Amino acid sequence: MDKLTKGTWILNTTKHIVDVAQKSTELNYFETTALAGKTGVFLSKLVADKQEVITYEKVKKFARESSIDNNNRNVKMHLDLLKEYGKVDYNTKLTEVEVYCFSNEDAIETTADIYSNEIVDEDEDINIYSLEETYNVPRKREELVNKLVNNGYSEEKVNLAIKIQDTFGLIKVADNILYNEYTFTGNEAKMVKTISNISSSKKKDIEEVINRISNNQGLIENKITSDINPEIVKLMEGIGLIDGITVTSEIGEATFYTSPHIKGKGIKEKDFSLADDVFHKAKILLSCLRFGQEKSTYGRGKIDTRTKMLNIIRKLNRGEWLNPCTAVGQDYKLLEVDGVVRVRAFGNRFQMSLRQKEVGILVEKMILNNSIDTTDDMGDICSLEVQPSGIIIPEVRRQQMKPKEIGLVKELRDEMLTILRT
């Protein structure tokens, strides 16, 4: 398994375990995974397009947002680990940190390096390899067990690992078929095969949802569920045919849907993989822009057209600061703590620029994939009516949702898994 693939599975596992109470005994099975995964997430926030010096106070914020206890000793431990791999350096007084990691791909591969160079329990290796196996094709339980035993793992350890994976939602179990939620990520061919072979009467609904999202990445939920059974949409999200990201704020929340793989103009299937946007940065940036498009008022600089949105993202991709506006300092704090943008004061207003251009380029390609166009050009003001206070990523949404797996929904799920196995 190459480093990019291994690092991706480590990071995907970390997303499922970071919110679990630290006293949970099951976490003992993921000690090295958690160390490497949290450090990798931390590094992904430090990533910049060029060598950059960051204040220690900002570094501590990045650490906190990476599920790392941000006391000085703990932060320094993770910085020392990254320094060992040549990704950061810091001054004697630890007031500034210099970053030498310039892409999210580098952060993913560094995650794999950290994991591989630690003492790893067999349970953790089983987790990674079983995720890869169930990503390639849904497996019957005995089939997966035999495959892993033939690779040298004990049957007892394999069965325990599967049980723990089920507990954390890493592997889904449906009538003795094991699959994972990333089955369609980075592989549109699987999606095409599955949808084209569905015999259910709801095939047209599924195709319609796929088409709407493909043509409008970051499509708000009510533009789908207004005329399509919400349980069908839940099923599609639960099995991984679509990804949902929820943006929360003081006035409520909104959910935006994208394809599970990065899709856009100029992106071909061979160009994207399971590792693309593993940190969800492009999807989160797009969802924040969509939130501004759907929820803000015109008087505050509403992002009301596709052209206006493209103006914003293209200016960011050119490395320019956006025109100062009141809301940027509030609205994009989520993106700032994710390391995607930098924000600076401009009098009593704020300006924003992009720290990670690769994220902006992906978003631009996703927007350009839209079939809907407009002629209005309202400039580059980027503000929202209120500050988004949080993001719920696809993995968390799937763990929270409990679709009614009865009747037609269960029938559709079982049929999709059968198609994938043939």
Side-chain angles (χ1 to χ4, degrees), residues 323-340:
N323 289 342
C325 55
T326 303
V328 166
Q330 302 171 345
D331 299 334
Y332 293 93
K333 283 181 179 177
L334 288 171
L335 298 169
E336 187 178 13
V337 298
D338 216 21
V340 176

Side-chain angles (χ1 to χ4, degrees), residues 22 139 212 306 385:
Q22 294 303 304
R139 306 276 185 183
R212 288 185 194 180
R306 173 176 175 268
E385 175 64 22

Side-chain angles (χ1 to χ4, degrees), residues 186-190 267-273:
N187 194 329
E188 191 171 14
K190 286 185 184 177
I267 303 177
K268 299 178 181 178
E269 183 167 345
K270 64 180 179 62
D271 296 326
F272 59 73
S273 70

Side-chain angles (χ1 to χ4, degrees), residues 5 10 12 27 30 36 58 64 105 143 151 160 190 224 227 231 245 250 268 283 301 316 346 388 403 408 416 418:
T5 302
I10 293 166
N12 283 336
L27 287 179
F30 295 107
K58 181 168 285 188
R64 183 175 61 248
E105 182 174 307
E143 179 186 356
N151 285 340
L160 178 60
K190 286 185 184 177
I224 302 173
D227 60 336
E231 290 301 321
I245 284 189
E250 64 186 37
K268 299 178 181 178
K283 292 174 183 176
L316 288 170
F346 190 87
L408 180 62
M416 288 180 188
T418 300

